[in-house]
Amino acid sequence: MANVTVVGAQWGDEGKGKIVDWLTERAEVVVRFQGGHNAGHTLVVGENVYKLSLLPSGIVRGALSVIGNGVVLDPWHLETEIAKLRGQGVTITPDNLQIAETCPLILPFHRDLDGLREDASGAGKIGTTRRGIGPAYEDKVGRRAIRVCDLAHLDDLGPQIERLCAHHNALRAGFGEPPIDRERLLNDLRAIADVVLPYAKPVWVTLNEAKQAGKRILFEGAQGILLDVDHGTYPFVTSSNTIAGTAAGGSGLGPSGVGFVLGIVKAYTTRVGSGPFPTELDDATGERLGTRGHEFGTVTGRKRRCGWFDAVLVRQAAAVSGTSGIALTKLDVLDGFDELKICVGYTIGDKSYDYLPPHASDQAAVQPVYETIEGWSESTQGARSWADLPAAAIKYIRRVEELIRCPVALVSTSPERDDTILVRDPFSD
């Protein structure tokens, strides 16, 4: 049985939470390997709705849930999210939740810096969630980070705090902010240490033992490939690598453990925040997609920008992430359209492109080249087999497969976990 790595293959918000929840029924371990509490995964289980930002989605189903070293961890948010889920009846203990001892911590001054930079950037805003994710990753790379394991050695943190303050106090002064209160920081860390440390484990050992035992491991990505810091629409990206290969380095399991790479893709395209969006529809059609798809960010509550399916971008995302198959979500949102459009290429002036050029000005200038597809009047909502789908809907799916050069493994037709058509079982590959 293969492991499975789930990644978003657009700009995030593709419906990963539902697909991960659906797959968790057969997974024994679920792993978050990058990002922070800027993820937004919504799980609908019966009449219960669970909204997760940091914890792996497997926690709701009782699977062993692991937060890998590639994640940046806000310990205060962790405390809040655990309390919220426990209030919904979810059991969370060190027996079913492990956190890598080497996870860098998101600290209060990271959140401060994130907001200060965005507010000062004017038209250059990236559109971050202001949760300190980027500044925490900067400190990790700058070898200044305080990590989970440091919470057990707070009396030894003097040199690390010196490095942090030397860096951040200069930045804070530039924004007219007071320096970091070191004593308060240490007191805050002492107060939260007992919350975090019971879950701290060498998760690379846990995962390698699980692999040796033949257990099925599900890697849960956050955001989307088009937000990858190397392969996304830079600079309007997140601060981590979101491609499937990151599952190896962000967990400690190694490349051979990544397994089947399942890219999650909406049947249309959405984006939250700033940045290029070639197929964006700023008209009644875009409004219709947003209304029918309930397109508001799980984390930020911001309205998502909507547009037609962009096969060029998904093909590019699938290629750089080594995608084995896709899960096509929200097909039912397209019900009732007389015709649908798919972007099959771009132009800038008289030059044609079959990929998104890397420079921000070119990305903003590209014009989509559309192919028109027949729509369908029948409802696909709740369909659980090919036989339940209109012929035109099947034709649309097949055309998407051709254009992105990647097969469809799953089709989702509503937020309910069982409203899913299984075409190819990722765990059996």
Side-chain angles (χ1 to χ4, degrees), residues 128-343:
T128 78
T129 56
R130 298 171 177 258
R131 296 192 169 201
I133 312 294
Y137 272 118
E138 290 175 36
D139 280 348
K140 174 184 177 178
V141 175
R143 294 165 291 184
R144 296 179 294 269
I146 294 175
R147 304 186 298 173
V148 167
C149 56
D150 293 320
L151 294 175
H153 300 273
L154 291 176
D155 292 339
D156 300 326
L157 269 185
Q160 202 73 352
I161 290 178
E162 289 290 337
R163 284 194 290 274
L164 277 169
C165 288
H167 178 77
H168 282 274
N169 285 344
L171 293 172
R172 292 172 69 88
F175 286 110
E177 295 293 313
I180 293 169
D181 185 332
R182 301 186 190 193
E183 192 59 34
R184 180 177 178 182
L185 174 61
L186 277 170
N187 287 337
D188 287 344
L189 291 173
R190 288 190 184 98
I192 202 66
D194 289 342
V195 174
V196 180
L197 286 175
Y199 303 102
K201 296 287 191 305
V203 303
W204 65 272
V205 174
T206 300
L207 295 174
N208 277 276
E209 288 177 347
K211 181 184 176 184
Q212 290 297 319
K215 293 184 177 180
R216 293 182 293 275
I217 303 171
L218 180 62
F219 295 94
E220 178 181 14
Q223 291 83 49
I225 296 168
L226 298 177
L227 293 175
D228 185 278
V229 69
D230 287 310
H231 300 286
T233 49
Y234 192 91
F236 301 100
V237 293
T238 193
S239 299
S240 62
N241 286 110
T242 59
I243 60 172
T246 310
S251 68
L253 186 57
S256 64
V258 171
F260 187 101
V261 178
L262 182 66
I264 315 300
V265 180
K266 275 180 184 164
Y268 50 103
T269 310
T270 65
R271 179 167 198 169
V272 169
S274 306
F277 186 168
T279 66
E280 182 173 12
L281 297 171
D282 189 18
D283 59 13
T285 300
E287 190 70 26
R288 180 179 175 183
L289 289 171
T291 300
R292 287 178 57 86
H294 306 289
E295 297 296 354
F296 294 91
T298 301
V299 171
T300 63
R302 290 180 291 182
K303 185 177 180 180
R304 295 175 186 141
R305 301 153 63 190
C306 298
W308 293 121
F309 186 83
D310 191 330
V312 181
L313 281 181
V314 174
R315 181 172 65 241
Q316 187 169 330
V320 300
S321 200
T323 305
S324 311
I326 68 164
L328 191 69
T329 67
K330 291 196 168 185
L331 181 69
D332 54 303
V333 174
L334 299 183
D335 292 351
F337 281 92
D338 293 331
E339 63 179 30
L340 305 167
K341 293 184 179 181
I342 298 177
C343 176

Side-chain angles (χ1 to χ4, degrees), residues 14 27 54 94 101 206 227 233 253 275 305 308 361 370 395 401:
E14 301 96 345
L54 176 62
E101 298 168 311
T206 300
L227 293 175
T233 49
L253 186 57
R305 301 153 63 190
W308 293 121
S361 62
Y370 285 118
K395 185 177 178 181
E401 285 182 311

Side-chain angles (χ1 to χ4, degrees), residues 20-60:
V20 168
D21 179 50
W22 190 84
L23 291 167
T24 299
E25 189 171 50
R26 282 166 292 166
E28 293 157 280
V29 185
V30 181
V31 186
R32 276 284 311 274
F33 57 87
Q34 49 75 222
H37 62 305
N38 53 344
H41 295 172
T42 301
L43 281 64
V44 179
V45 184
E47 296 182 357
N48 297 314
V49 178
Y50 303 95
K51 295 189 176 183
L52 308 179
S53 297
L54 176 62
L55 294 173
S57 296
I59 200 73
V60 172

Side-chain angles (χ1 to χ4, degrees), residues 310-312 315 342-346 353-354 369-371 399 403:
D310 191 330
V312 181
R315 181 172 65 241
I342 298 177
C343 176
V344 297
Y346 305 128
Y353 290 86
D354 61 359
V369 177
Y370 285 118
E371 178 177 298
R399 184 57 179 149
L403 290 169

